[in-house]
Amino acid sequence: MDEFERIAYLRSCFAPRDASASPVVLGIGDDAAVLSPGTGNLAISVDAAVQGVHFRLDYADWSTVGARAFSAALSDLAAMGAQPKAALMALIAPELKDEAFRLLIDGYAAASVRYRCPVIGGNLSRGSELSITTTVFGELHGAGVTRAGARVGDSIYVTGTLGDAALGLLLLDARRPELGRAFVERWQKPEARIAEGASLTGLASAAIDVSDGALQDLGHLCAASGVGAELRAAALPLSPNFAELARRLGREPVELALTGGEDYELIYTVPAGGAGGPGTCIGRIVEETAGITVRDANGRPLALQTRGYRHFQG
Amino acid sequence: MDEFERIAYLRSCFAPRDASASPVVLGIGDDAAVLSPGTGNLAISVDAAVQGVHFRLDYADWSTVGARAFSAALSDLAAMGAQPKAALMALIAPELKDEAFRLLIDGYAAASVRYRCPVIGGNLSRGSELSITTTVFGELHGAGVTRAGARVGDSIYVTGTLGDAALGLLLLDARRPELGRAFVERWQKPEARIAEGASLTGLASAAIDVSDGALQDLGHLCAASGVGAELRAAALPLSPNFAELARRLGREPVELALTGGEDYELIYTVPAGGAGGPGTCIGRIVEETAGITVRDANGRPLALQTRGYRHFQG
């Protein structure tokens, strides 16, 4: 396929499925796409998936790479409590075989359909390194759930379980995916927590998604809010077999759960006395000067390696 | 600067200058930016500038590279007749010295101020190849000027002059920029034709910007509209000294004007009898079966090398 055949393929894959409910006035193929905004505000975010940094083809096939890039971008909307409305795909790629191109686009388009978030435009460029940069648009009722609203005394929650994706990546690193297929899938096929995020509006005081590790992302939330945090290690939601398998790979489970990235779960805070929402309570917000502490079952602070998650070591 | 210092630098450079008139509810620093949409529709486009493909540091300094990436992205909004409202910057970069990073961001931010189009978010990623992917948002009153509305009998116009940027690039290739500094500047520092584009709403039947060469971009407009075109070579608006300098570099002026890219002028069509707008009339729309023809002063069709403009030869 030449460039124009590829654009035609993109147009056919990304054709809107449900035009009646769509805010899309004009989709792929003109100088710009046109959205008819709804009554709410528009949340906007952009995220890049770079080969060798965010994905490797020996760790996920092309179709999975496409879907994963889409989910990772949407996760930022989930963290605001926004409802996805549309996406743009900017693809920079070296000579890519037609088969690889089709699989990548098919995976991306399938994610777009699953999230009901049509791809309305994009850009194709040559380049020596493959990257997929996705801009996403979501609708917000009200101002959205930012990182900056946490207050001392709020409870800290997290959706789902922590560390699964990082454990899956360790299994791939060790060439032992068969030890925990479910963990490998959590890394390969993350899901943006759209419904959970939407349920936080009017309930959570602040929220962030876990892309760089729970401690690091909670740190961003605390910095934006001007607060500190205290977590209870025993309260962390871990998947069955997570602790056992982590130890088998030589990793301390609590540390892996708190520093592993790419879970795309949501960490959020709730004012004292408020409903807890979809997650598990893991701690509380304290004064900024206290920093971030993790305590064991006896209340003793743990010494953790809190370095940030670095995706692949470059 | 580490990643967080760089993000802080971005926040300071991209701080909104004119908050009162701004649709920006939430800017850089949270999971997503938030825009308050106006009464019109939102035009959205994304464009990538890739090192070695769209820019080279021996042809433009870092600051110019930043400004150029911004202008190229906004040109797509100009072609729709949209008014720029906001932009997102996704930067993929290898280890970049602080000085280079600052110049790149300063050039980008200066363009953002000049176009009154605040940068409200973005993404920083590691990568081995530098690219700047810019998503732009503009407001449209009505549906915008698409590529698809040209009809047989419409007149074809172009803003400004054609071929100047391509001639500037040839001068840089030849290491003779002193022969035509103005042409080199047209390549290095293109301006998106925002005001001209805005003036086309309600006047033009179709429009496109000239990024890949006038013939190729007019071809896209014709394909989208299902029409053909006939151009008069003698009518093409050329800068003073353009023809002479093109010939000195061994290029036929009309061909260079029609196939040279990155002018970022607007080609648009106007129904018969309509006002001509800001541009120069260069031809008319004909039946699709006639294709695209360029005629000399005697009405004879010219045989042109109509290959697309390829930015740098990779």
Side-chain angles (χ1 to χ4, degrees), chain B residues 275-288:
Chain B
T280 305
C281 184
I282 59 172
R284 64 193 177 92
I285 294 294
V286 297
E287 296 286 347
E288 184 167 27

Side-chain angles (χ1 to χ4, degrees), chain B residues 172-193:
Chain B
L172 287 166
D173 286 339
R175 306 273 182 279
R176 298 297 302 274
E178 73 283 0
L179 291 181
R181 295 273 177 208
F183 298 107
V184 170
E185 287 240 324
R186 276 297 304 272
W187 182 82
Q188 288 175 328
K189 300 179 179 177
E191 278 294 305
R193 298 303 184 198

Side-chain angles (χ1 to χ4, degrees), chain A residues 33 35 42 44 128-129 135 137, chain B residues 33 35 42 44 128-129 135 137:
Chain A
L35 270 187
L42 205 59
I44 306 168
S128 60
E129 178 178 67
T135 307
F137 309 91
Chain B
L35 270 187
L42 205 59
I44 306 167
S128 59
E129 179 179 66
T135 307
F137 309 91

Side-chain angles (χ1 to χ4, degrees), chain A residues 56-272:
Chain A
R56 286 168 46 167
L57 288 167
D58 51 341
Y59 280 34
D61 61 24
W62 279 113
S63 167
T64 304
V65 164
R68 199 164 182 279
F70 203 91
S71 287
L74 276 190
S75 180
D76 285 319
L77 292 189
M80 297 294 289
Q83 199 62 42
K85 289 292 167 188
L88 299 179
M89 178 198 215
L91 179 63
I92 297 175
E95 294 299 315
L96 197 61
K97 285 187 179 151
D98 286 346
E99 173 72 5
F101 177 79
R102 278 199 198 93
L103 284 170
L104 176 67
I105 299 306
D106 292 352
Y108 198 86
S112 151
V113 170
R114 204 170 65 244
Y115 288 110
R116 297 182 189 194
C117 180
V119 181
I120 62 171
N123 189 71
L124 283 183
S125 288
R126 281 184 304 141
S128 60
E129 178 178 67
L130 195 138
S131 65
I132 308 153
T133 298
T134 301
T135 307
V136 288
F137 309 91
E139 197 171 13
L140 276 180
H141 291 288
V145 185
T146 71
R147 300 176 176 182
R151 297 292 172 260
V152 174
D154 288 1
S155 298
I156 303 168
Y157 286 77
V158 66
T159 60
T161 50
L162 282 174
D164 292 348
L167 182 56
L169 182 56
L170 287 175
L171 290 170
L172 287 166
D173 284 340
R175 307 273 183 278
R176 298 298 301 275
E178 73 283 359
L179 292 181
R181 294 274 177 207
F183 297 108
V184 171
E185 287 240 324
R186 276 297 303 272
W187 183 81
Q188 289 175 326
K189 300 178 179 178
E191 280 293 305
R193 300 303 184 199
I194 301 295
E196 291 83 346
S199 77
L200 298 182
T201 302
L203 175 153
S205 49
I208 192 169
D209 63 321
V210 181
S211 54
D212 295 331
L215 275 187
Q216 186 165 326
D217 290 313
L218 177 61
H220 296 321
L221 184 152
C222 286
S225 295
V227 297
E230 205 168 88
L231 299 182
R232 287 174 286 116
L236 296 176
L238 305 181
S239 285
N241 303 321
F242 174 85
E244 179 189 338
L245 199 46
R247 284 197 195 94
R248 185 160 166 190
L249 293 170
R251 301 297 294 264
E252 207 289 300
V254 167
E255 183 181 315
L256 184 60
L258 287 172
T259 59
E262 302 183 297
D263 282 320
Y264 298 110
E265 297 293 351
L266 303 178
I267 292 180
Y268 60 96
T269 57
V270 168

Side-chain angles (χ1 to χ4, degrees), chain A residues 3-4 25-26 29-50 52-54 75-77 79-80 86 88-90 92 120-123 125-133 135-137 140 142-148 207-209 212 216 220 224 310-314, chain B residues 3-4 25-26 29-50 52-54 75-77 79-80 86 88-90 92 120-123 125-133 135-137 140 142-148 207-209 212 216 220 224 310-314:
Chain A
E3 186 191 347
F4 299 108
V25 177
L26 187 67
D30 218 293
D31 294 304
V34 180
L35 270 187
S36 160
T39 51
N41 287 328
L42 205 59
I44 306 168
S45 182
V46 62
D47 192 62
V50 181
V53 179
H54 302 97
S75 180
D76 285 319
L77 292 189
M80 297 294 289
L88 299 179
M89 178 198 215
I92 297 175
I120 62 171
N123 189 71
S125 288
R126 281 184 304 141
S128 60
E129 178 178 67
L130 195 138
S131 65
I132 308 153
T133 298
T135 307
V136 288
F137 309 91
L140 276 180
V145 185
T146 71
R147 300 176 176 182
I208 192 169
D209 63 321
D212 295 331
Q216 186 165 326
H220 296 321
R310 296 299 295 168
H311 306 279
F312 296 107
Q313 300 301 325
Chain B
E3 187 191 346
F4 299 108
V25 177
L26 188 65
D30 218 292
D31 295 305
V34 179
L35 270 187
S36 159
T39 50
N41 287 326
L42 205 59
I44 306 167
S45 182
V46 61
D47 192 63
V50 182
V53 178
H54 302 97
S75 180
D76 285 320
L77 292 189
M80 297 295 287
L88 299 179
M89 178 196 215
I92 298 174
I120 62 171
N123 189 71
S125 288
R126 280 184 304 141
S128 59
E129 179 179 66
L130 195 138
S131 65
I132 308 153
T133 298
T135 307
V136 288
F137 309 91
L140 276 180
V145 185
T146 71
R147 300 177 177 182
I208 192 168
D209 63 320
D212 295 331
Q216 186 166 324
H220 296 322
R310 298 297 297 168
H311 306 279
F312 296 107
Q313 301 301 325

Side-chain angles (χ1 to χ4, degrees), chain B residues 153-281:
Chain B
D154 287 2
S155 297
I156 304 169
Y157 287 78
V158 67
T159 61
T161 50
L162 282 174
D164 292 347
L167 181 56
L169 182 55
L170 287 175
L171 290 170
L172 287 166
D173 286 339
R175 306 273 182 279
R176 298 297 302 274
E178 73 283 0
L179 291 181
R181 295 273 177 208
F183 298 107
V184 170
E185 287 240 324
R186 276 297 304 272
W187 182 82
Q188 288 175 328
K189 300 179 179 177
E191 278 294 305
R193 298 303 184 198
I194 301 296
E196 292 84 346
S199 77
L200 298 181
T201 303
L203 176 153
S205 50
I208 192 168
D209 63 320
V210 181
S211 54
D212 295 331
L215 274 186
Q216 186 166 324
D217 291 313
L218 177 61
H220 296 322
L221 184 153
C222 286
S225 294
V227 297
E230 206 167 87
L231 299 183
R232 287 174 287 117
L236 296 176
L238 305 181
S239 284
N241 301 321
F242 174 84
E244 179 190 337
L245 200 45
R247 285 198 194 92
R248 182 161 168 189
L249 294 171
R251 301 297 294 264
E252 209 289 300
V254 166
E255 183 181 316
L256 184 60
L258 287 172
T259 59
E262 304 184 294
D263 282 319
Y264 299 111
E265 297 293 350
L266 303 178
I267 292 180
Y268 60 96
T269 58
V270 167
T280 305
C281 184

